[in-house]
Amino acid sequence: MIKKLKIDIEGMHCASCQLNITKSLKKVKNVKNADVQLLSKKAYVDYEGDIDENELRKAVEKVGNYKVKNISYEEHSDHMQHEEPSHESHDHHSGIAEKSEIKMWKKKLVWAWIITIPIAILMFSERLFGIELLPKELSTRVILILAFPVIFILGWNTIKGGFKGIIRFYFNMDLLISLGTIIAYLSGIATFLLPVKDYSGVAAMIMAIFLTGKYIEAKARGKAGEEIKKLLELGAKKATILRNNKEIIINISEIRIGDIMVVKPGEKIPTDGIVVKGESSVDESMVTGESLPVEKSKNSNVIGATINQDGILYIKATKIGKDTFLAHIIKLVEEAQGSKIPIQEFADKVTNVFVPSVLVITLLTFFGWIYFTGSIANSLAAAISVLVIACPCALGLATPTALMVGSGMGAKNGILIRKGEAIQTMKEIKYIIFDKTGTITKGKPEVKEIFSENKKHLLEIAASLEKLSQHPIARAIVEEANMKKYKSVNNFKTLRGRGIEGKIEAKKVAIGNTKLMQDLKIPLAKFTKKINEFESNGLTTMIVSENSKAIGIIGVADAVKDDSKKAIKQLNDMKLEVIMITGDNERTAKAIANEVGIKKVMANVLPEDKSKKVEELQKKGMVAFVGDGINDAPALKQSNVGIAMGTGTDIAIESGDIVLAKGSLEGVVQAINLSKATFGKIKQNLFWAFAYNTIAIPVAIAGFLHPAVAELAMALSSITVVGNANLLRRKKL
């Protein structure tokens, strides 16, 4: 039986890290597969039989400067002690860890440049301008002293990681940086003993540029794992329960199955349960994504973290802890987050061979010069030049700089790019799935149609009565009437799940569904055809009666956003297959789909099944999912590109690779255009980085590049990459 576990890893920062850890984990006994996620800094391991935690830790930590922070097991694993990470654990391994890393790199790069700038002044004033600020021997000593903390303190983790891996033949880009800086630094010391040139200043500049690149990369990666924290925060912290016929307040963790919870209007329902007493409407939008409250009465099931609106409910707890619906959603998000998003295979392959190839070339260069010239100084100079010119700073900056510029452009247009993979995969999207409520529609009910012989009178009495109700449909009717003065109402009464009634000018008025009219024995034959027509168009039908006689019907629906039709037409023109997915019935769903130009509909889909639908489509091609509710979170994470509406819930936003702050579907079109443009710049940058190395390395081998010039060329290549990325700002979306 295949079991799963998750490893939280600290210290990953490049594709080499990801590849080396993956290879090492796969060698552990009983491990069948390992999926290492660079952005989330997690490894998902499939294993069979028993697994040795120490072996897993060794496998990760032996290949570089990495640390295992936590190992958690799937629910049915024998290692139950790791099953439920605490709230604090989630906090630590989400946004806090990411912010800490960004802060660390920033601090290092600031100090590195504070120290390196004086080094550069000393070094280049003499070598480029012939101005000797200090005597040569003193200048060398000063540079060595200044360079030491840059290399061996600020850059220690890099050096440690580089050499730790090579001991076990795991090569990473840190190794090139480490070798280049250390050899260059040692050349400064060697000048006091041997006839060699001093390149210690170059060493400090290499490390400073490297640290700058790491900071940019950390910023570009964004936040990882905060969606879990957001979900946890949705739940209630306290609960009121009945004990010995007395109401007492306890912590949510103290609730037991069978406890009777008392939930007053405006309070969150503490945990999943069943109503044993009371009637109310419950806002389940944070879970279902649907805008209309759900009527609850005796024997109704309720979901923890949803909000009770206008009545007192007595609820028997049926599920607690990891068994609740909210916990289930958390699990789905975690699983979807752990799924493998395609990474550029070309970049992976290059990374695999780049470092060892450069090392071989460096050694051949050194010994080749020794053989042909016999000069240690010239041999060392050529070897250092190869290492320096080959340092992959431009390669490391190619993607994050373009991503950061693209992100800045997007932000100005309300498009927030959270995950870099979206840029890499958007161009291959074949299917784009839209959630309905709050995504295609406004998430706010509106009166769409009215049928009556006297519409003015119908709206007057309907609005006067509905003004006393807090139901969203009631508010829609009141807004439609837009009256300055309402009629007086007596004997107002809410009939749960059916409608409302009251007296206006001594006349008995009722507004509600067909069930209410049947209960009141009000004939509807005159309106049957129109009711069927309304319902076939996906409208919620409210029947208005006066003195036991139906006088008209009001059709209410969640209106389509103004730009939905235009945006979907543009997507269709892009030859994308556009699909709408919803928990609504098929009739309502198709009505909305036809209105906006969507041909394919997935209706009656449960929240937990949305991600499954995405997964099924992924077998045919790349999938983008657009949604706004908590129920959309697993699907957003499962999809190749998750696009979250910024007007939706926090968890949906945190689950998205791209967030549309304005909540406009035109933003989806703009996001696709932005992604294509940004990815185009990434490809150009990568081409330049590789072309630079392809041209520069042979020149360095030939001995035509002084290490200082090589360092300047490397810096220039990085500046070129950054400059090219900034050209993206001229792109119109």
Side-chain angles (χ1 to χ4, degrees), residues 93-109:
H93 298 292
S94 57
I96 292 176
E98 190 70 24
K99 289 178 182 178
S100 178
E101 182 186 12
I102 293 171
K103 187 177 179 180
M104 176 200 68
W105 286 118
K106 184 178 181 179
K107 185 178 179 180
K108 285 185 175 184
L109 82 87

Side-chain angles (χ1 to χ4, degrees), residues 579-593:
I579 303 166
M580 188 177 81
I581 191 168
T582 179
D584 281 345
N585 64 74
E586 193 165 347
R587 183 176 60 193
T588 301
K590 285 186 175 180
I592 297 294

Side-chain angles (χ1 to χ4, degrees), residues 173 176 349-359 390 392 395 693:
M173 291 187 182
L176 287 184
K349 290 177 181 178
V350 170
T351 301
N352 262 331
V353 300
F354 185 76
V355 176
S357 298
V358 170
L359 292 176
L395 187 61
N693 280 321

Side-chain angles (χ1 to χ4, degrees), residues 363-383 699-704:
L363 288 172
L364 290 174
T365 300
F366 179 79
F367 289 111
W369 272 85
I370 288 284
Y371 180 79
F372 288 107
T373 68
S375 172
I376 296 177
N378 291 337
S379 302
L380 186 61
V699 176
I701 293 172
F704 295 133

Side-chain angles (χ1 to χ4, degrees), residues 61-203:
E61 295 173 0
K62 74 179 181 180
V63 297
N65 193 40
Y66 316 118
K67 187 177 180 181
V68 173
K69 301 297 292 183
N70 185 58
I71 300 176
S72 55
Y73 295 82
E74 199 177 55
E75 183 176 335
H76 300 296
S77 171
D78 295 331
H79 303 267
M80 299 301 290
Q81 68 270 23
H82 299 277
E83 182 184 352
E84 292 288 328
S86 65
H87 191 300
E88 290 76 18
S89 177
H90 279 294
D91 284 352
H92 180 74
H93 298 292
S94 57
I96 292 176
E98 190 70 24
K99 289 178 182 178
S100 178
E101 182 186 12
I102 293 171
K103 187 177 179 180
M104 176 200 68
W105 286 118
K106 184 178 181 179
K107 185 178 179 180
K108 285 185 175 184
L109 82 87
V110 169
W111 278 108
W113 283 111
I114 288 174
I115 300 171
T116 301
I117 288 174
I119 292 175
I121 294 172
L122 283 172
M123 185 170 61
F124 292 117
S125 64
E126 180 184 353
R127 294 176 181 176
L128 296 181
F129 306 107
I131 301 173
E132 191 175 283
L133 298 177
L134 293 173
K136 187 170 181 60
E137 189 172 309
L138 179 59
S139 177
T140 300
R141 284 188 165 89
V142 170
I143 290 174
L144 282 169
I145 292 170
L146 290 174
F148 185 88
V150 177
I151 300 167
F152 297 103
I153 297 178
L154 299 175
W156 175 244
N157 285 338
T158 300
I159 293 171
K160 181 181 176 183
F163 284 97
K164 193 174 181 180
I166 197 175
I167 294 173
R168 295 174 173 84
F169 297 98
Y170 285 94
F171 302 97
N172 57 41
M173 291 187 182
D174 287 355
L175 182 61
L176 287 184
I177 301 295
S178 301
L179 286 173
T181 53
I182 290 175
I183 293 173
Y185 183 82
L186 291 176
S187 71
I189 298 174
T191 58
F192 297 102
L193 305 171
L194 299 169
V196 297
K197 294 181 180 179
D198 176 18
Y199 304 118
S200 56
V202 174

Side-chain angles (χ1 to χ4, degrees), residues 107 275 346 687:
K107 185 178 179 180
V275 177
F346 174 71
F687 172 80

Side-chain angles (χ1 to χ4, degrees), residues 623-639:
V623 177
F625 186 94
V626 187
D628 73 316
I630 289 178
N631 62 311
D632 300 323
L636 286 165
K637 297 300 292 185
Q638 176 63 45
S639 61

